[in-house]
């Protein structure tokens, strides 16, 4: 399967802990996006990379959130000092031209 | 602020019915409108529309864009239970940039 992959698929953590998610895009795609989706809402943009450069960050991305894409391949999204409000599905997408293709998501539950 | 509004929020139909889902938008620099289908995991790409009045078709699904009135519709004919999903509309406001999503329309097809 050559689609976008994400790991882990599910994460349960206690409030105050740090978590890190990984996204592996489709191999020839140079753009990578992170979105967050809560129940009953569409995905909300968090940040995106073109190759290794982080080109835009949403104001939703507080200073507890950081994303990296070393070498322009896979990306990681870290959340420090998690809060219950961080509970959501974190989706990664990649594109080479216009259409964005999504991974299966990481569902985060903060207890 | 860019905004995408979908209607109806939810819809229940019987197999064989035809449905029309609506998407209206307000964005500062429109580039394209995309439709996605989301079952229990990642949104899967259906259509990208950039020009008014040109229908895109894939099997029983079709979509059209009206850039003057700022809306799009997604039609599904001869619905099947496998069409049950959330249908998401998104707008690309800059080339290769983030997508702004609507909240989605939940479609349930009863057998």
């Amino acid at each position: 399967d050559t689609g976008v992959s994400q790991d882990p698929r599910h994460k349960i953590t206690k409030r105050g802990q740090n978590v890190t998610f990984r996204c592996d895009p489709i191999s020839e795609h140079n753009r990578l996006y992170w979105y967050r989706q809560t129940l009953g809402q569409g995905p909300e943009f968090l940040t995106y990379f073109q190759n290794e450069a982080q080109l835009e960050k949403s104001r939703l991305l507080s200073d507890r959130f950081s994303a990296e894409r070393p070498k322009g391949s896979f990306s990681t999204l870290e959340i420090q000092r998690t809060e219950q409000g961080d509970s959501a599905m974190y989706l990664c997408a990649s594109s080479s031209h216009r259409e964005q293709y999504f991974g299966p998501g990481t569902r985060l539950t903060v207890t | 602020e860019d905004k995408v509004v979908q209607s109806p929020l939810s819809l229940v139909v019987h197999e064989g019915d035809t449905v029309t889902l609506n998407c209206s938008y307000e964005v500062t620099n429109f580039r394209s409108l995309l439709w996605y289908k989301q079952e229990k995991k990642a949104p899967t790409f259906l259509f990208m529309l950039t020009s008014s009045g040109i229908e895109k078709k894939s099997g029983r699904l079709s979509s059209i864009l009206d850039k003057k009135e700022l809306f799009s519709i997604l039609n599904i004919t001869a619905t099947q239970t496998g069409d049950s999903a959330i249908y998401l509309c998104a707008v690309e406001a800059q080339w290769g940039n983030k997508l702004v999503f609507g909240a989605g329309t939940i479609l349930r097809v009863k057998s």
Side-chain angles (χ1 to χ4, degrees):
Chain A
D1 182 52
T2 56
V4 179
S5 62
Q6 292 187 246
D7 184 68
R9 296 290 304 276
H10 302 273
K11 179 72 178 178
I12 299 173
T13 191
K14 292 186 177 177
R15 188 163 50 95
Q17 297 294 304
N18 299 345
V19 293
T20 300
F21 310 142
R22 177 180 169 123
C23 171
D24 286 90
I26 294 170
S27 60
E28 64 269 23
H29 286 185
N30 61 346
R31 291 196 178 95
L32 186 148
Y33 307 80
W34 286 99
Y35 292 86
R36 179 172 69 187
Q37 187 176 25
T38 54
L39 197 63
Q41 299 297 319
E44 294 176 291
F45 171 78
L46 293 178
T47 189
Y48 99 96
F49 293 83
Q50 181 160 320
N51 301 311
E52 65 274 11
Q54 188 172 19
L55 296 186
E56 188 174 347
K57 292 194 290 186
S58 163
R59 62 178 185 275
L60 291 176
L61 215 67
S62 76
D63 56 6
R64 297 185 297 106
F65 288 70
S66 62
E68 294 183 341
R69 193 184 182 197
K71 303 177 186 177
S73 56
F74 70 92
S75 175
T76 57
L77 177 68
E78 181 183 17
I79 309 174
Q80 296 183 325
R81 305 181 303 281
T82 52
E83 301 172 356
Q84 287 188 320
D86 297 331
S87 295
M89 175 76 86
Y90 289 83
L91 292 165
C92 175
S94 70
S95 74
S96 58
H97 298 291
R98 305 287 297 287
E99 303 93 8
Q100 294 182 24
Y101 294 90
F102 284 81
T106 294
R107 183 167 294 285
L108 173 66
T109 303
V110 182
T111 61
Chain B
E1 186 176 332
D2 297 336
K3 189 165 68 171
V4 177
V5 177
Q6 293 186 244
S7 64
L9 291 182
S10 66
L11 193 55
V12 180
V13 300
H14 287 95
E15 270 192 314
D17 287 350
T18 293
V19 298
T20 297
L21 309 183
N22 304 295
C23 175
S24 63
Y25 61 90
E26 293 176 29
V27 296
T28 47
N29 290 298
F30 177 86
R31 292 291 180 255
S32 66
L33 184 143
L34 297 90
W35 284 97
Y36 287 85
K37 177 183 181 183
Q38 186 173 29
E39 294 169 273
K40 289 192 176 177
K41 42 186 180 176
T44 53
F45 173 77
L46 295 175
F47 298 113
M48 171 183 271
L49 303 153
T50 55
S51 302
S52 272
I54 298 174
E55 185 183 51
K56 291 243 176 151
K57 199 167 170 65
S58 175
R60 297 176 293 102
L61 276 66
S62 63
S63 183
I64 197 159
L65 174 67
D66 185 328
K67 289 168 74 173
K68 183 179 175 188
E69 299 297 330
L70 309 183
F71 78 89
S72 173
I73 59 172
L74 175 69
N75 281 319
I76 309 175
T77 58
T79 51
Q80 302 171 356
T81 55
D83 296 327
S84 296
I86 300 171
Y87 289 85
L88 294 165
C89 173
V91 171
E92 178 190 27
Q94 288 179 257
W95 299 115
N97 208 325
K98 65 183 181 186
L99 297 177
V100 177
F101 282 86
T105 292
I106 302 169
L107 174 65
R108 182 176 162 217
V109 181
K110 294 167 71 171
S111 57

